[in-house]
Amino acid sequence: MNEPIYQTHQVKFYLLYVPLVFFLVNCSPEKETLFSELDSDDTGIDFRNDLVETEDKNVLNYTYFYNGGGVATGDLNNDGLADLVFTGNQQQNRVYMNKGNFEFSDITKNSGTVENMVGAQELLW
């Protein structure tokens, strides 16, 4: 038995136009986001926690290999601004003093706390 013509056209409408409208609505201009990426040249922060796998140091031997070190914030020099401490798995830990306006300076050597340390465990002791 043949279906009524209005039902056939209705199905075609939904199959063609509903996905088209959905696509066009989602292609709107980029929405404003809460956060934006800042360049390390502008902020002064150039820390990277790069990991190099070896036969002994890998995710098979150490489950938490890719979990990373960590980031801590605190006012280390009592100027009212949050300073940053980055810990690395295989990188030297770094301390950055907040100069305001999202600008930081690397004070690792002058801080005397993490200059020769690698890994977050050493910061805890």
Side-chain angles (χ1 to χ4, degrees):
M1 189 160 121
N2 291 337
E3 293 183 27
I5 191 144
Y6 69 89
Q7 287 181 348
T8 306
H9 290 298
Q10 189 176 17
V11 170
K12 287 180 182 177
F13 173 80
Y14 285 116
L15 290 176
L16 178 65
Y17 292 109
V18 171
L20 181 64
V21 169
F22 182 75
F23 177 75
L24 291 174
V25 168
N26 287 321
C27 289
S28 62
E30 195 172 309
K31 297 178 182 176
E32 186 176 329
T33 60
L34 185 60
F35 297 101
S36 62
E37 184 175 354
L38 301 174
D39 191 68
S40 63
D41 292 333
D42 297 331
T43 62
I45 298 174
D46 61 354
F47 178 84
R48 288 178 49 118
N49 189 25
D50 294 324
L51 301 176
V52 178
E53 287 189 46
T54 65
E55 191 173 314
D56 297 327
K57 296 179 181 179
N58 58 58
V59 73
L60 297 175
N61 293 334
Y62 183 61
T63 306
Y64 305 108
F65 185 75
Y66 288 109
N67 283 11
V71 179
T73 63
D75 187 5
L76 302 176
N77 57 353
N78 294 322
D79 64 355
L81 300 172
D83 304 312
L84 303 174
V85 177
F86 290 90
T87 63
N89 296 41
Q90 299 173 339
Q91 311 299 321
Q92 177 183 341
N93 299 325
R94 307 286 283 280
V95 179
Y96 290 93
M97 182 180 67
N98 191 340
K99 299 189 298 185
N101 200 29
F102 295 105
E103 294 179 14
F104 296 83
S105 61
D106 188 345
I107 61 165
T108 304
K109 290 182 181 178
N110 295 336
S111 69
T113 57
V114 295
E115 183 176 354
N116 296 317
M117 295 181 192
V118 174
Q121 296 86 354
E122 296 175 17
L123 276 179
L124 298 176
W125 303 109

